[in-house]
Amino acid sequence: MKALSVEHTTQEVKELDITMVANTVYTFFSSILIDELPTLKEHIIYTDSNALSERKKAYFIGEQLILGDALILGREDFNDTDAKITKEELSSLVALHVNDFYKEVLDLIADTDVNLYKTFTVEKNGEQIALNIEWVLYTFNIADERTKEYFINELKKVPVNKEDVEAYMQKMAQLAMNVAS
């Protein structure tokens, strides 16, 4: 099966020919904790859930924050297929620059047990909306400098006060939703 991978230390895109069996993805990452990101149309991006705690390098595929290595396969009706995107197309979507806001926040939460992509819900106009920490970081990254400083300063207090990082992120997501109303 044709797959593509992005190596986190070099961000090099490689074309792979893999045999899909039950444990192929887990073997690729040497981990049983895998995130599945449906960011690319008709594709799935697999990443290692441990990449944050292992402080692996961050980068973007499009606007999707990725940590560590990535394995990209095609996706049709919940089944993995050959990747349709070319190596060149994927390479053009890989952005190496991760700004200081992302770097600082990722460093602050690396020693926690949070998962960037695990969803939680917030409410907007009586509707429950599923979001995740990656969305919170994206949203606060595009905010003004004072808002970013507030976000980081408050995040620094979370471990000191023995609070839950995920609860803090959910609170920040709710604040962002309230402002967007």
Side-chain angles (χ1 to χ4, degrees):
M1 179 176 292
K2 177 188 166 197
L4 296 170
S5 70
V6 181
E7 204 282 326
H8 79 278
T9 56
T10 63
Q11 281 85 34
E12 179 184 359
V13 176
K14 296 179 182 176
E15 193 169 310
L16 307 173
D17 185 22
I18 61 174
T19 302
M20 281 303 281
V21 292
N23 65 346
T24 299
V25 174
Y26 305 108
T27 302
F28 180 84
F29 293 105
S30 300
S31 176
I32 60 170
L33 299 173
I34 306 298
D35 290 313
E36 296 182 19
L37 310 172
T39 306
L40 295 173
K41 183 179 179 187
E42 299 178 348
H43 289 82
I44 192 78
I45 301 171
Y46 290 105
T47 62
D48 180 2
S49 296
N50 295 318
L52 176 63
S53 62
E54 293 173 1
R55 297 179 187 275
K56 292 189 177 174
K57 194 169 185 177
Y59 57 97
F60 292 92
I61 295 179
E63 293 185 1
Q64 176 73 62
L65 179 65
I66 305 290
L67 300 176
D69 296 340
L71 179 66
I72 296 95
L73 293 166
R75 180 57 68 98
E76 290 178 11
D77 301 324
F78 302 105
N79 295 313
D80 292 331
T81 63
D82 287 329
K84 297 170 185 75
I85 191 169
T86 67
K87 179 180 172 182
E88 293 74 23
E89 290 170 324
L90 182 60
S91 293
S92 73
L93 295 174
V94 174
L96 310 178
H97 178 72
V98 175
N99 68 29
D100 291 339
F101 173 79
Y102 275 106
K103 288 177 184 176
E104 186 169 0
V105 172
L106 292 172
D107 188 54
L108 288 169
I109 64 174
D111 293 330
T112 70
D113 62 351
V114 298
N115 180 302
L116 294 178
Y117 313 107
K118 180 183 169 200
T119 60
F120 49 78
T121 58
V122 297
E123 187 176 313
K124 181 174 181 180
N125 301 328
E127 181 183 346
Q128 295 294 312
I129 299 171
L131 299 173
N132 61 32
I133 292 173
E134 193 266 343
W135 180 88
V136 174
L137 300 185
Y138 174 83
T139 301
F140 279 86
N141 179 59
I142 61 175
D144 62 65
E145 290 304 315
R146 287 185 64 196
T147 303
K148 288 181 194 178
E149 287 175 24
Y150 169 79
F151 180 90
I152 290 172
N153 289 336
E154 293 302 307
L155 178 58
K156 287 177 180 176
K157 296 175 186 176
V158 170
V160 172
N161 296 332
K162 296 182 177 26
E163 295 172 359
D164 181 46
V165 171
E166 187 173 339
Y168 170 78
M169 294 293 182
Q170 186 171 0
K171 178 177 127 183
M172 292 294 107
Q174 186 63 63
L175 288 174
M177 277 292 152
N178 293 347
V179 170
S181 295

